[in-house]
Amino acid sequence: MTLLRSYVGGGWHTAPDDGRPLHDAVTGEEIARLSSTGVDFAAALEHGRRVGGPALRELTFHQRAALLKALSGHLREHRGELYADSARTGATRGDSTFDVDGGIGVLAAYASRGRRELPNDTVYVEGAVEPLGRGGTFVGQHVATSLRGVAVQVNAFNFPVWGPLEKLAPAFLAGVPSLIKPASPTAFLTAKLVELIVDSGLLPEGTLQFVAGGVGDLFDHLTEQDTVSFTGSASTAAKLRTHPVIVNRGVRFTAEADSLNLSILGPDAAPGSAEFDLFVKGVVAEMTVKAGQKCTAIRRAFVPEQHVDAAVEAISARLAKTVIGAPDAEGVRMGALAGLEQREEVRRSVKALADAGRIAFGDPEKVDVVGADAERGAFVSPILLVADPERAEPHQVEAFGPVSTVMPYTSTEQVIELAARGRGSLAGSVVTGDTAFARDVVLGVAPWHGRLLVLNERDAKESTGHGSPLPALVHGGPGRAGGGEEMGGIRGVLHHMQRTAVQADPDTLSAITGRWVAGAERRRTERHPFRLHLEELRPGDTLVAGPRRVTQQDVEHFAEFTGDTFYAHMDAEAAAANPLFGERVAHGYLIVSLAAGLFVDPDPGPVLANFGVDNLRFLTPVTFDDELTVTLTCKQITPRDTAGYGEVRWDTDVTRQDGESVARYDVLTLVAKKESRP
């Protein structure tokens, strides 16, 4: 029998013992064994810190993003191998797509965000420069740098591909190596994933390690530079969170734990309405996808009291059509649980829930299956319960399987109060076409939720559904849900970085961040900056152009040409009554246009395009006969590794004859690389 191997210290490790057996969730047969005996956890962490970390930190965010993109492409080509092993976890093809393709999609999403939202550098500059003195010689800036540790990732059994990849992607992009520890029941699928990644040769050595089995004394060797991301039960999360090393050394710990997620049907969504049907479909989908083994699945379904019977009948009717069995059998829509132990745990939880109400659909002890043995495989029927919302059990007991409880409510205030009894959830949904009800409920339950979906006929076609975490949005929740956050776009990257406030003079701060800041040295170039290729430009390169006198004729021509005849520009009497101006003033966009006329070099050259203006502010009114001067300074240079050009951000300061700034903004241009010339 195959003994799963760990990948640590740059090589594969096979335990010297027989390990514990892992079983096919559908047939019950033993398919592999699992043991981490003999793994030197201290050495594994040190390998990540000394080999993987430096290799990643030598790469820019864009280069790391390129590797994630390449890895997502490689795994996409090998999806078939992952699907085959995924079926042995009890997953249908649809379930496997959710897990496998979803995980690969997270890699691709972070690759894209890394290129679009992060600099082609190794340091992330956050927020604006803060002036700390009156003279402008002392300023502050927040920067984020890669932690010098390892991202230890302890995953749950329900998503053996998506779970590791959604943790790996932001850590890798942040420049921090990962050590993956999967849950035992489905570790064979994660092992296959890691094997594909290692065999690809795409990731630098030491940036990915894998432990097949228990964590041993791993936590004893953590430091303040390491992070731990845990997905699993609340009891295990509490045990790990209070580990002496995590407490004493302040190890960053984030947890995604048990969650009694809810869905609320609005009072407007009567039977026969589009929203009523969406609610029913949503509850059934969350009960049957992955056999309900989703941390975001709907456990509590709140329905207006007058619609409870109709909702239970409609949900039961759809559940009755759900074919259960072997993932490869024709017509099967729901597979098995992860294992027989999990089935017993679900049955125990259903019994506790049934004591607080009644089972409206399903039998936890019996189920008809197609293409498999109902007893040897970890199969269970979908179970729909109806309960009194005042009973404690539905708000405390989570059956981690195809189980949901319908509860009535009579008012907006009551359903908000009932939602809070779950003590914190990963996800919730409100199914309603009533925007006022949606506002009241969302704002009322938001403090207990990490993510909320408002679903109605207007957004249903594009909605990704109640239970689908997205890379761009935070995945996590307060209280019982663990109190952690993952993904959320660049927020997930910054979790693996240290935010540091740097105080310095402008020249030093510019040198540290690689960006010119106001007050730092400006250098007037011998040639017009727009004649310089990307490699020839440096932050601080400056052009000063002007002055240009603004005339009444300029203002009136601009008004006629654009159609902008706002009274402050054209009506002397009305402008005089305006407390901000007191007389006719020039259009703000006329000032921007005149400034462009001063700094633009008209001949063909390295500047390929102007693609935007950021942070535009009009600071002081410009009146007739004012003279404008523009100071254009190269602020930030971002090469694009795979293109013949890069992005250049220019600080633009438009001043009048008394030196006061009338407008400030950033001009964004695409500038050709010298090496790209034909």
Side-chain angles (χ1 to χ4, degrees), residues 20 115 182 368 464 553 584:
R20 57 173 292 188
R115 295 192 303 273
D368 294 327
T464 51
Q553 182 181 6
R584 291 173 65 184

Side-chain angles (χ1 to χ4, degrees), residues 294-307:
K294 291 168 58 184
C295 53
T296 54
I298 296 169
R299 307 300 180 193
R300 300 180 296 161
F302 292 103
V303 177
E305 188 176 55
Q306 66 272 25
H307 299 323

Side-chain angles (χ1 to χ4, degrees), residues 13-359:
H13 168 82
T14 302
D17 56 9
D18 292 335
R20 57 173 292 188
L22 303 181
H23 298 93
D24 187 309
V26 178
T27 66
E29 67 176 309
E30 183 178 323
I31 56 176
R33 286 183 169 265
L34 183 74
S35 174
S36 61
T37 301
V39 171
D40 187 334
F41 290 102
L45 289 172
E46 198 61 19
H47 182 70
R49 297 179 192 124
R50 292 189 177 275
V51 178
L56 271 182
R57 294 194 297 273
E58 286 182 2
L59 304 175
T60 67
F61 290 111
H62 287 199
Q63 291 169 328
R64 298 169 202 159
L67 290 177
L68 289 180
K69 181 180 179 181
L71 181 59
S72 70
H74 173 76
L75 293 178
R76 194 172 298 278
E77 292 176 359
H78 291 270
R79 283 180 297 177
E81 298 171 55
L82 295 171
Y83 288 157
D85 280 349
S86 181
R88 309 193 78 174
T89 71
T92 66
R93 182 58 179 268
D95 297 337
S96 298
T97 299
F98 197 97
D99 183 27
V100 175
D101 291 53
I104 295 171
V106 172
L107 291 180
Y110 268 96
S112 177
R113 284 186 172 269
R115 295 192 303 273
R116 289 186 289 109
E117 299 181 30
L118 295 173
N120 198 2
D121 200 346
T122 58
V123 60
Y124 179 74
V125 179
E126 184 179 46
V129 174
E130 298 288 344
L132 303 177
R134 293 183 179 181
T137 62
F138 187 49
V139 294
Q141 176 85 67
H142 289 95
V143 301
T145 53
S146 306
L147 291 175
R148 298 311 200 250
V150 174
V152 175
Q153 297 153 4
V154 183
N155 293 295
F157 67 83
N158 53 330
F159 285 101
V161 175
W162 182 87
L165 293 182
E166 66 93 8
K167 290 180 170 69
L168 168 70
F172 189 91
L173 197 53
V176 177
S178 294
L179 187 151
I180 296 171
K181 191 279 178 195
S184 297
T186 56
F188 59 89
L189 178 51
T190 308
K192 181 61 179 179
L193 170 70
V194 172
E195 180 183 324
L196 289 171
I197 295 174
V198 172
D199 288 350
S200 75
L202 290 169
L203 304 190
E205 175 51 47
T207 60
L208 175 66
Q209 297 183 88
F210 168 73
V211 174
V215 296
D217 62 352
L218 172 66
F219 279 56
D220 294 338
H221 305 291
L222 296 174
T223 75
E224 64 282 348
Q225 289 294 303
D226 299 312
T227 64
V228 176
S229 298
F230 169 81
T231 302
S233 70
S235 59
T236 303
K239 181 179 178 181
L240 296 179
R241 195 193 302 272
T242 55
H243 189 284
V245 173
I246 288 180
V247 174
N248 295 332
R249 301 203 66 164
V251 179
R252 296 187 188 188
F253 182 92
T254 184
E256 176 201 316
D258 303 340
S259 184
L260 289 165
N261 311 292
L262 60 75
S263 186
I264 299 171
L265 180 67
D268 61 299
S273 68
E275 281 73 24
F276 183 88
D277 292 341
L278 289 169
F279 175 80
V280 170
K281 292 177 183 177
V283 171
V284 172
E286 293 301 315
M287 291 178 67
T288 56
V289 172
K290 293 286 289 184
Q293 298 171 115
K294 291 168 58 184
C295 53
T296 54
I298 296 169
R299 307 300 180 193
R300 300 180 296 161
F302 292 103
V303 177
E305 188 176 55
Q306 66 272 25
H307 299 323
V308 166
D309 290 343
V312 169
E313 181 180 350
I315 294 170
S316 298
R318 290 186 70 92
L319 289 174
K321 298 177 182 178
T322 301
V323 179
I324 303 164
D328 58 354
E330 185 176 353
V332 167
R333 298 295 300 273
M334 190 180 100
L337 297 173
L340 296 178
E341 291 182 9
Q342 181 62 21
R343 183 173 67 181
E344 292 310 306
E345 177 61 30
V346 168
R347 286 173 173 173
R348 286 193 293 270
S349 298
V350 169
K351 185 180 185 303
L353 290 169
D355 289 343
R358 64 181 176 88
I359 295 177

Side-chain angles (χ1 to χ4, degrees), residues 542-626:
T542 299
L543 170 74
V544 179
R548 165 64 155 86
R549 189 165 67 91
V550 180
T551 67
Q552 180 175 338
Q553 182 181 6
D554 291 332
V555 174
E556 293 174 351
H557 172 73
F558 190 82
E560 180 182 0
F561 182 72
T562 63
D564 181 356
T565 56
F566 184 61
Y567 74 87
H569 312 308
M570 302 300 292
D571 187 330
E573 182 177 352
N578 186 313
L580 298 178
F581 304 132
E583 59 182 312
R584 291 173 65 184
V585 296
H587 305 72
Y589 296 109
L590 171 59
I591 296 168
V592 173
S593 299
L594 293 177
L598 290 173
F599 66 68
V600 166
D601 186 282
D603 296 328
V607 175
L608 305 176
N610 175 335
F611 70 96
V613 170
D614 277 354
N615 308 315
L616 173 61
R617 292 292 184 272
F618 300 118
L619 304 172
T620 305
V622 173
T623 59
F624 303 153
D625 295 326
D626 277 346

Side-chain angles (χ1 to χ4, degrees), residues 353-373:
L353 290 169
D355 289 343
R358 64 181 176 88
I359 295 177
F361 180 90
D363 185 337
E365 302 297 330
K366 294 192 303 182
V367 60
D368 294 327
V369 302
V370 175
D373 186 307

Side-chain angles (χ1 to χ4, degrees), residues 363-403:
D363 185 337
E365 302 297 330
K366 294 192 303 182
V367 60
D368 294 327
V369 302
V370 175
D373 186 307
E375 286 306 311
R376 288 180 61 84
F379 296 99
V380 68
S381 167
I383 304 294
L384 182 69
L385 301 106
V386 181
D388 179 352
E390 295 302 323
R391 291 291 297 265
E393 292 89 342
H395 308 292
Q396 295 178 356
V397 177
E398 180 183 19
F400 201 74
V403 182

